[in-house]
Every structure is written in structure tokens, then in C-alpha cells.
Amino acid sequence: MSMADTLVVLDFETTGLSPDLGDRAIEIGAVRIERGNVVDQFQKLMNPGCSVSPFIEEYTGISNLMLKESAPSDEVMAEFAEFVGDSNMLAHNASFDKRFLDAELERISLNYTGEFLCSLLASRRIFQNAPNHKLATLVDFVNIPSDGSFHRALYDSVMTVQVWNALLATIRDQYGVNDIPFALIQRLNKTPKKSVHRFLTNVRDQ
DNA sequence: TGCCAGGCCCTCTTTAGGGCCTT
């Protein structure tokens, strides 16, 4: 699988941090990219059948009234499973979104076959001089224009694409690595930070 | 009842602790 192939970049808004403690997805946003270009998108609020806390209403701008008027989770997640197909996926702090994807799809007995990449892990390796690795900080760090509408699923997934393209451009520009397959980023994200320079230099010289 | 995340990453580490990220 190469970066030239399709990749679905996704982001969940949720009622909290842990599906194991009963937290649920309330919005999913995703874009399909090919060669770094957005070619399709998906955005849906979903009604989890429970109310969200005032903190989450404030944090996301998603109100209980909005969710009450939204399609149920099982319906939206089934549509999303169709959208993803067998594509690989990317998310900022992917372990978080993967946990919710797994939990929500398990509720409706659906599966997926793609694998996840994490832009947070890649950023910690490539942008080692960034002040921190929050999505909003990275958007600023790589000089991407933003209207600041973070914490909505589609907006964050689009911003993740922008950061992702900047990460790939940095790998190309700093190391002369022009072909960046999915598996290369998987190996990069398992490489200790101190060894990243040597790792990418070796890739270039192979 | 009241408590409860999970995984990565660093360091004064590995018989551990705490900050960073995601909502």
C-alpha cells in the first residue's frame, strides 16, 4: 500500500475519553485523500441515545438538542463503514479514534480491514522542535491558515490532512525520500525519536 | 458506592512515575 493509494482521514467527537467506561461517539468526520488531495468527504452527527455533559457541549459546540435531531448511531456508523470500505486510515492520536471505531462498529456487528496510521506519533518524530503536538498547535507550526473551528469532526480531519501533507513534504525535503509507502510510516512510528534521522537517512540511501 | 482511559515517551527507569495527546 502506497501513499498514492486512498487513505481515509477521520476524527470522532465523543461524550468522553473512554468507550470502555461507556463513552459514545457523537460525530464522525472523514475525508478520503489520494496523493494528498481530498477526493471525498463524510460528516454526520449521531444520536447515541444518551445525553452529553455541559463540558462536551461547550468543548465541541454539539448540543443535546442537535443530537436529539440526528440519526441514530447504528445507522450513521453503518454508512461510515461503507464509506471506509477496505481503506487504510489516519487520525491524530489514532489510538483514540480506533478505540471508538472498534466500539461503535462492534455494537452493530460490523468490521473493517484497514490499518491505522497516527499523525501524532509521526509528528513527534518529524517535528521534534514543535512547541507541542496538539493538532491546533501543529496547524499553526506548519503555517496552515485556520479559522480556529477545532473540535468538530470534519474540520479536525481536514486539518489533520494539512498537517499530514506537511509531514510528508518535510520527509521529502529534508531526507530526499520521495516514495513514502504506508509501511514506511508504520516503521517510522515505531522508531525511537533519537534514531529517526538515521532511519530516514538509511531509507534514502537504500 | 465510588472509583475508573490507554498508549506513548522520557527519566533521577525496568521492583516507577508523570507528562502528553485524544473527548
Side-chain angles (χ1 to χ4, degrees):
Chain A
M1 179 67 69
S2 166
M3 289 308 168
D5 295 312
T6 182
L7 194 61
V8 169
V9 185
L10 67 95
D11 183 67
F12 278 108
E13 304 306 316
T14 71
T15 65
L17 293 173
S18 175
D20 288 344
L21 300 184
D23 288 317
R24 298 293 307 276
I26 58 175
E27 186 185 38
I28 184 161
V31 292
R32 179 178 301 280
I33 58 174
E34 289 175 3
R35 299 177 187 276
N37 298 311
V38 174
V39 296
D40 200 2
Q41 70 175 52
F42 185 100
Q43 184 276 323
K44 288 279 173 72
L45 291 169
M46 64 188 100
N47 184 353
C50 59
S51 61
V52 302
S53 67
F55 171 79
I56 293 296
E57 285 191 310
E58 169 67 22
Y59 187 79
T60 64
I62 299 169
S63 69
N64 281 299
L65 179 59
M66 290 163 68
L67 294 177
K68 193 175 179 182
E69 295 171 344
S70 300
S73 301
D74 53 357
E75 187 178 305
V76 171
M77 290 307 301
E79 287 178 42
F80 182 72
E82 190 78 14
F83 180 84
V84 168
D86 60 2
S87 297
N88 287 324
M89 287 162 280
L90 167 72
H92 197 64
N93 198 7
S95 66
F96 174 86
D97 294 282
K98 182 180 186 301
R99 278 196 296 278
F100 278 95
L101 182 64
D102 290 351
E104 293 293 342
L105 288 184
E106 184 177 5
R107 297 178 71 96
I108 54 174
S109 302
L110 286 180
N111 252 320
Y112 61 94
T113 55
E115 296 182 68
F116 272 89
L117 276 185
C118 179
S119 55
L120 170 63
L121 296 183
S123 175
R124 284 175 174 160
R125 286 162 174 78
I126 302 300
F127 295 147
Q128 296 197 17
N129 53 348
N132 63 58
H133 298 277
K134 293 175 183 172
L135 181 61
T137 301
L138 294 173
V139 166
D140 199 46
F141 182 70
V142 299
N143 297 311
I144 296 162
S146 165
D147 67 9
S149 307
F150 292 101
H151 309 307
R152 285 301 298 266
L154 183 60
Y155 189 84
D156 283 4
S157 63
V158 169
M159 289 298 108
T160 299
V161 171
Q162 299 299 309
V163 170
W164 183 246
N165 285 340
L167 281 164
L168 297 184
T170 300
I171 292 171
R172 292 191 184 102
D173 295 347
Q174 289 194 358
Y175 296 97
V177 176
N178 290 312
D179 182 39
I180 309 178
F182 190 89
L184 174 62
I185 304 292
Q186 286 181 312
R187 283 194 291 147
L188 171 74
N189 283 356
K190 290 176 182 171
T191 301
K193 275 175 66 175
K194 284 181 180 175
S195 306
V196 165
H197 180 79
R198 182 175 38 193
F199 172 79
L200 288 173
T201 301
N202 287 342
V203 169
R204 178 197 63 199
D205 293 342
Q206 273 173 3

